[in-house]
Amino acid sequence: MRSMAAIFAVGLLAASSSLPAAAAEPHISDWNRIEQAASGQTVYFNAWGGSENINAYLQWVSSEMQSRYRVTVVQVKLDDTASAVAKVIAEKASGKNEGGSVDLIWINGENFVSMKQKNLLLTPGWATALPNWRYVDSENQPTILTDFTEPTEGLESPWGGAKMVFFYDSARTDASSLPDNSAQLLDWAKKNPGRFSYPAPPDFIGSSFLKQVLAEVIDDPAKLSQPVNEASFERDVAPLFAYLDALHPVAWRSGKTFPQNYPDMKQKLADSELDIIFAFNPAEASAGIKAGELPETVRSFTFSRGTLGNTHFVAIPYNANAKEGALLTANFLISPEAQLRKQNPTYWGDPTVLAISKLPEADRAAFAALDLGAATLAPDKLGPVIAEPHTTWMNRIEVEWRRRYASGN
Amino acid sequence: MIAYLPKSAVVLTLCLLFLPITFGLLGTLLPAFGYLPALGHHGLSLQPFRDLASTPGLVTATVLSMATGLVATLISLAVTLVFIAGHAGTPMLSRMQHLLAPLLAVPHAAVAFGVAFLFAPSGFLIRLAAPFLGIDRPPDVLIPHDPLGFTMIAGLVIKETPFLLLVTLAALPQVELGAARRLAASFGYGRIAGFVYLLWPTLYRQIRFAVYAVIAYTSSVVDVALILGPNLPGTLAVQLVQWMNDPDLDARFLASAGAVLQLGVTLAALLLWFFLERLSAIMMRNARERGWRFERDRLLCRASVLAVGLVGGVVFAGLAILAIWSLAGLWRFPDILPQSFTLRSWMSASPSLGNAVVTTLITGFASTLLAIALTIGCLERELQTGRNVGEKSLLMLYLPLIVPQITFVFGLQLLFIGTGSGDRLAALVLVHLVFVLPYVFLSLADPWRALDRRYEIIATALGRSRISVLLSIRLPMLMRPILTAMAVGFSVSVAQYLPTVLIGEGRLATITTEAVALASGNNRRVIAVYALLQTMLPFLAFALASLIPAALHSDRQEMKV
């Protein structure tokens, strides 16, 4: 019993005493050395495990990494990305500054900002030094260099694009009645009570819907690129909550409960419970049709004045055990081959982060030849991108949302 | 040397139960008071509790946790009581016993999904009724997730009633059923009233810790609450998990303070139950002293059969719906069956399945074997010293069941990383053991104590040593209960989620961790595949537990059941 207590005390002490110097970082410029060091390593890739498609894609990545570089990539299936962040914190708390259990995380937005601020990420600049960075579309996709207005500083490597797109079943809903902005969406909901809803924050897609509406109704959208101004916050978000106050009585289940997340909305579209749903992936409906989850009559639409768009990334924790293997994997994920497969709706359907114009001829042709499916809008039909607001908005809106709608009063 | 084994088993068992919980609670308490060096918080403060108090909807969430737990326990116990009181000693009851064990093998999440798939507005029952009612769109009705938690209570009752029934049935042989029945009947008391007046107090004393465990479980449950419970706000336990997963790392302090509150909620629920116990004892005494006979209880007896039948029916119907969903192609509302069937969901699950099944089996077997060895050691020690373990040690056994998991597992995770232990699998087995051990002990203790000691006395008189008596007489004769206890332990291990995720660091995937990760994607087909898998393994364990003794004892007529 005494020894157990001692061990516990040591654990806490180690956490409070000053940390030993970090192990030597791999030199990203010497790519040959990295490949050599990576050989035989096991990379624990912590990624949301809620989608069969994505899990299968990662299985493919794993087999490619094995045959090309002798790197074993193991997907640690998370139900929430934050639990990987929590693991890194727990390790830091107990003084485990090397040999950590997380090598690579699928991440963006709040989780990234959180890890960046707490210094839990591998040294800046590695991402932009990856050999395949030369293909990345850092010029035309501003969200590749700033993640929710937080500069990425090469702390995370882009993996895929995202754009908010709406879906409906053309067999049930008349295309001419579809809304073209948030205000029209509210009118549509009033005419079709109980047939629209959004996931309750802090679900990522639900929070995104709130940001979409806010971006459309706020008096000055420029405010959103800055941190929340506490003095004017109440006034800034008043139109958003007026919108929600009007929406909830005509929403699904009268706004007394909300869909759990995006896949839940997808099921509810198939169940005829919801008529308009949305996702952050333009090919989601095509993939759903292919998987037999959605009827073939589902189609997509966006708002002509723009919908929210962002990029998701992979990052390496400061105490990763297989840093070289993680670097190699991150580099493979932005290779034209991996990105091509990722954009193919048969496998995933996620928009690429690469600039097609920078690619070699053969890859350009392969991207052009992709069949995106009848339910997917062509890239030029997706409409303009509305940038993500500064992360402070997300936190404050979520808190405010819960205060108003989740207090049970 | 061998004589010391049982004694050390007792010490080891107590340590295994007590130490992890204590350290786990410490690891939760310190951050609750603002101490978590990794995040740069070295001082102690009450700020986390202040933040907790200002959380919107906290009161509602707390009341919900407590109320759903208490009401679900109350209903489950009432159904159990009336059913046993009405039917103890009848052949129906002994047949029931065989049906109950498989019900226990169905994990909570599978039951909850089954309930949701049956009763939701786009669920199976409405689809059955749709052609007659002319419904082509699911009605906009708030089930599940109703704000008062009725669906959640129903789900919990369906899961907990079989458990309480089984526990009560196990304790039943210890009361003088036949004599009491005859006495009560000869004075003109109804079946239920006679049972309650004469036998229930003794019986309840035997099962009360199981009831407490049910209260603790239902007041802190996460998975059932997520699937069926209200979510605006959710119950306290659900919010706790959300805070622990909050990207804002400082929410960890809030989560720890919330975990302390959760412990308080569970203790308060137990305290309230304690008062209810006193109150009902007084009411019962009053009714008895006034000679109220409640002769016309036939309707109530029948209602209890209906209730128990409904519980079993919903579980099996839910499993059937899960099976259909796991094979479904496109399945639109209001179709009763899918437009097409496909093995796709099973196929796509299979690549990642192998490892998960192996880890599940290894962890389950290892923790169950350790648990059974320790349990036998403790029970053998009891025989040696002639002392019963007594109420106090029983409480210790129930500690891991009564202290909400969520309040100490996170602290435990910090401890494990702190020890620098590289052997994750060993750590995982040990943590599973904390939860497996109590169930194994409680399942085996009664049959162990009930075995006629004269067999051993004769054997000892003939010059056999204690250890050889144990090996050649006691263990073979108790083969069936031992295997049943192991099956119970194994299914407890299979169902563990939180400890597996935290201690296994996500690298040791089991069927249950895979199931929860995939359930977050909310794909009904995938959920169905994993819920069925989660059910199948314990089911197999129970099947083996009844087949092995039958095969071993096939030449002995008397050992057959």
Side-chain angles (χ1 to χ4, degrees):
Chain A
M1 174 144 186
R2 275 227 330 257
S3 63
M4 283 286 270
I7 290 167
F8 190 65
V10 167
L12 287 176
L13 277 179
S16 54
S17 62
S18 63
L19 307 168
E25 302 285 356
H27 289 286
I28 181 82
S29 52
D30 192 352
W31 198 247
N32 275 335
R33 277 251 309 270
I34 288 181
E35 283 190 7
Q36 275 166 22
S39 176
Q41 283 185 339
T42 300
V43 174
Y44 288 96
F45 189 174
N46 285 238
W48 181 66
S51 158
E52 284 176 286
N53 274 355
I54 297 173
N55 295 350
Y57 178 84
L58 285 174
Q59 208 111 47
W60 172 80
V61 169
S62 175
S63 64
E64 291 297 306
M65 289 300 293
Q66 186 61 255
S67 64
R68 288 172 194 223
Y69 307 105
R70 292 213 320 110
V71 171
T72 310
V73 177
V74 178
Q75 183 194 2
V76 175
K77 297 195 184 85
L78 308 172
D79 60 333
D80 190 324
T81 303
S83 50
V85 182
K87 263 187 274 181
V88 181
I89 299 165
E91 285 171 358
K92 193 172 182 190
S94 44
K96 190 167 187 176
N97 295 307
E98 279 173 51
S101 66
V102 181
D103 296 310
L104 198 62
I105 308 186
W106 179 10
I107 200 168
N108 78 344
E110 278 184 287
N111 286 306
F112 167 68
V113 175
S114 200
M115 287 192 87
K116 183 182 173 188
Q117 284 169 352
K118 306 269 174 185
N119 289 323
L120 295 171
L121 292 170
L122 190 69
T123 45
W126 65 264
T128 47
L130 293 174
N132 283 333
W133 179 265
R134 61 195 150 144
Y135 301 129
V136 171
D137 190 9
S138 50
E139 294 82 12
N140 301 313
Q141 298 186 36
T143 53
I144 283 178
L145 295 177
T146 52
D147 190 359
F148 288 52
T149 71
E150 181 75 27
T152 56
E153 292 170 16
L155 283 161
E156 52 178 1
S157 168
W159 191 20
K163 179 96 169 43
M164 184 180 279
V165 174
F166 296 85
F167 304 112
Y168 67 105
D169 185 347
S170 61
R172 255 192 350 249
T173 308
D174 182 14
S176 65
S177 71
L178 296 173
D180 189 44
N181 54 47
S182 293
Q184 288 181 18
L185 180 60
L186 179 57
D187 290 335
W188 184 93
K190 284 176 181 163
K191 284 187 209 126
N192 302 274
R195 301 297 169 193
F196 176 77
S197 191
Y198 61 97
D203 175 79
F204 178 71
I205 304 285
S207 302
S208 300
F209 176 73
L210 301 185
K211 289 184 289 186
Q212 171 73 32
V213 175
L214 180 63
E216 290 188 55
V217 298
I218 194 169
D219 56 351
D220 177 14
K223 287 179 179 169
L224 294 176
S225 58
Q226 302 297 319
V228 166
N229 177 357
E230 287 301 331
S232 65
F233 178 75
E234 285 284 336
R235 248 179 307 125
D236 292 337
V237 298
L240 167 66
F241 287 102
Y243 182 96
L244 297 178
D245 286 340
L247 175 63
H248 288 180
V250 293
W252 179 77
R253 305 280 185 267
S254 311
K256 290 201 170 65
T257 189
F258 291 81
Q260 211 179 333
N261 50 23
Y262 158 67
D264 193 23
M265 288 202 292
K266 194 163 62 169
Q267 181 64 53
K268 289 183 164 52
L269 181 66
D271 283 346
S272 310
E273 292 207 14
L274 296 176
D275 280 348
I276 291 182
I277 64 164
F278 51 94
F280 240 108
N281 177 356
E284 201 73 59
S286 293
I289 293 171
K290 278 218 168 76
E293 294 164 21
L294 290 176
E296 279 171 17
T297 42
V298 169
R299 293 290 178 271
S300 45
F301 68 97
T302 59
F303 293 164
S304 56
R305 272 184 298 168
T307 51
L308 231 47
N310 66 45
T311 303
H312 53 100
F313 300 82
V314 293
I316 304 174
Y318 81 106
N319 67 346
N321 184 46
K323 292 192 178 91
E324 293 84 1
L327 286 168
L328 220 54
T329 310
N331 187 49
F332 176 70
L333 293 177
I334 51 172
S335 68
E337 190 187 351
Q339 287 282 311
L340 178 69
R341 190 180 173 97
K342 193 156 179 283
Q343 186 157 2
N344 188 336
T346 309
Y347 305 112
W348 186 336
D350 218 21
T352 181
V353 293
L354 305 184
I356 305 296
S357 59
K358 292 184 184 174
L359 299 181
E361 190 55 48
D363 292 319
R364 240 185 284 176
F367 269 98
L370 268 184
D371 175 15
L372 297 179
T376 309
L377 297 170
D380 57 325
K381 296 267 163 43
L382 281 175
V385 172
I386 297 179
E388 292 280 353
H390 191 269
T391 41
T392 48
W393 286 93
M394 183 121 147
N395 281 327
R396 288 291 277 114
I397 294 171
E398 280 173 8
V399 169
E400 189 61 19
W401 191 95
R402 293 206 77 76
R403 193 181 67 74
R404 285 168 187 256
Y405 305 121
S407 59
N409 301 321
Chain B
M1 181 63 209
I2 287 171
Y4 284 106
L5 275 178
K7 192 177 174 189
S8 35
V10 174
V11 176
L12 202 59
T13 304
L14 293 180
C15 290
L16 274 172
L17 294 180
F18 185 67
L19 292 181
I21 295 174
T22 314
F23 288 128
L25 280 176
L26 254 180
T28 303
L29 270 176
L30 291 178
F33 288 96
Y35 182 83
L36 189 57
L39 298 184
H41 293 253
H42 297 270
L44 292 180
S45 83
L46 284 174
Q47 194 55 41
F49 286 99
R50 270 181 232 125
D51 293 342
L52 183 69
S54 63
T55 306
L58 185 77
V59 176
T60 319
T62 310
V63 172
L64 257 177
S65 286
M66 198 141 93
T68 45
L70 280 174
V71 172
T73 312
L74 203 62
I75 297 176
S76 309
L77 188 66
V79 171
T80 305
L81 167 60
V82 175
F83 184 77
I84 301 258
H87 303 93
T90 63
M92 168 162 63
L93 209 65
S94 50
R95 274 202 302 276
M96 280 273 313
Q97 218 153 349
H98 291 283
L99 279 172
L100 277 172
L103 279 186
L104 279 187
V106 186
H108 280 87
V111 170
F113 280 124
V115 168
F117 288 4
L118 275 174
F119 294 102
S122 54
F124 195 70
L125 292 182
I126 294 239
R127 289 171 195 242
L128 282 180
F132 308 105
L133 301 176
I135 300 174
D136 64 341
R137 307 286 305 257
D140 196 10
V141 185
L142 194 47
I143 301 171
H145 308 307
D146 56 290
L148 292 178
F150 290 131
T151 326
M152 177 180 168
I153 291 173
L156 288 171
V157 167
I158 286 165
K159 183 59 196 156
E160 298 304 336
T161 306
F163 172 66
L164 287 178
L165 264 174
L166 209 66
V167 173
T168 315
L169 281 174
L172 203 54
Q174 300 184 25
V175 296
E176 295 278 351
L177 183 67
R181 277 253 189 271
R182 280 192 295 278
L183 183 67
S186 65
F187 281 93
Y189 283 83
R191 277 180 86 79
I192 297 175
F195 187 92
V196 170
Y197 290 157
L198 295 175
L199 302 173
W200 184 241
T202 325
L203 205 56
Y204 183 73
R205 212 165 297 138
Q206 301 278 332
I207 66 162
R208 62 199 283 198
F209 283 112
V211 176
Y212 297 163
V214 170
I215 294 173
Y217 181 84
T218 50
S219 63
S220 65
V221 63
V222 175
D223 48 5
V224 179
L226 267 177
I227 301 163
L228 299 176
N231 51 17
L232 285 181
T235 61
L236 184 59
V238 170
Q239 296 202 31
L240 264 180
V241 176
Q242 277 168 4
W243 291 333
M244 284 186 180
N245 287 336
D246 198 299
D248 178 9
L249 303 181
D250 288 331
R252 211 137 283 276
F253 296 101
L254 187 64
S256 300
V260 174
L261 177 63
Q262 174 67 61
L263 187 60
V265 165
T266 300
L267 290 178
L270 286 168
L271 204 68
L272 213 63
W273 185 265
F274 191 71
F275 284 119
L276 278 177
E277 278 178 5
R278 292 285 162 287
L279 190 69
S280 50
I282 292 169
M283 278 164 50
M284 198 190 81
R285 204 174 312 137
N286 257 326
R288 192 177 53 198
E289 276 162 13
R290 281 161 204 242
W292 289 348
R293 285 174 165 73
F294 301 102
E295 294 139 292
R296 276 190 286 269
D297 58 6
R298 189 161 293 169
L299 209 64
L300 198 58
C301 282
R302 285 201 186 138
S304 74
V305 177
L306 190 72
V308 172
L310 211 60
V311 163
V314 168
V315 174
F316 287 117
L319 286 178
I321 303 290
L322 283 173
I324 300 179
W325 266 112
S326 78
L327 295 169
L330 187 61
W331 191 3
R332 308 188 59 185
F333 189 86
D335 300 346
I336 290 172
L337 287 174
Q339 286 176 11
S340 59
F341 287 91
T342 162
L343 281 173
R344 189 192 141 97
S345 305
W346 288 95
M347 303 291 267
S348 58
S350 56
S352 57
L353 215 58
N355 280 333
V357 171
V358 170
T359 313
T360 309
L361 288 177
I362 291 178
T363 320
F365 272 126
S367 56
T368 306
L369 281 176
L370 283 173
I372 202 84
L374 287 170
T375 300
I376 290 176
C378 288
L379 290 169
E380 180 65 13
R381 173 75 184 162
E382 221 178 88
L383 288 181
Q384 279 179 11
T385 58
R387 266 187 315 212
N388 219 329
V389 189
E391 289 247 306
K392 268 189 201 126
S393 326
L394 251 187
L395 186 67
M396 190 70 111
L397 270 175
Y398 274 104
L399 208 55
L401 313 188
I402 288 175
V403 179
Q405 240 186 33
I406 206 166
T407 60
F408 69 93
V409 172
F410 180 71
L412 211 54
Q413 181 199 18
L414 281 182
L415 171 69
F416 266 108
I417 301 170
T419 58
S421 157
D423 202 340
R424 226 172 261 110
L425 190 62
L428 190 65
V429 170
L430 276 179
V431 171
H432 275 213
L433 185 58
V434 173
F435 300 100
V436 169
L437 190 53
Y439 282 102
V440 170
F441 192 97
L442 296 169
S443 313
L444 188 57
D446 285 327
W448 187 278
R449 290 171 188 146
L451 187 76
D452 196 332
R453 292 210 60 191
R454 279 173 294 190
Y455 295 110
E456 292 166 293
I457 294 170
I458 292 169
T460 324
L462 291 172
R464 290 298 195 96
S465 69
R466 271 232 54 90
I467 188 83
S468 106
V469 169
L470 178 70
L471 292 178
S472 61
I473 295 179
R474 193 164 264 276
L475 293 187
M477 290 187 84
L478 289 173
M479 180 64 82
R480 182 180 292 275
I482 287 173
L483 286 172
T484 307
M486 287 179 75
V488 170
F490 182 76
S491 38
V492 169
S493 166
V494 170
Q496 295 303 317
Y497 171 66
L498 213 53
T500 315
V501 164
L502 290 177
I503 305 298
E505 298 185 308
R507 288 194 191 179
L508 292 174
T510 64
I511 294 293
T512 299
T513 61
E514 292 281 299
V516 176
L518 281 163
S520 69
N522 235 319
N523 183 335
R524 278 190 193 159
R525 295 161 184 83
V526 183
I527 286 173
V529 166
Y530 276 89
L532 287 174
L533 280 168
Q534 258 189 307
T535 309
M536 238 178 263
L537 286 179
F539 216 85
L540 281 176
F542 276 105
L544 283 178
S546 67
L547 288 179
I548 291 176
L552 284 180
H553 299 146
S554 58
D555 54 339
R556 293 174 203 183
Q557 199 56 39
E558 285 299 304
M559 306 281 287
K560 282 200 179 138
V561 175

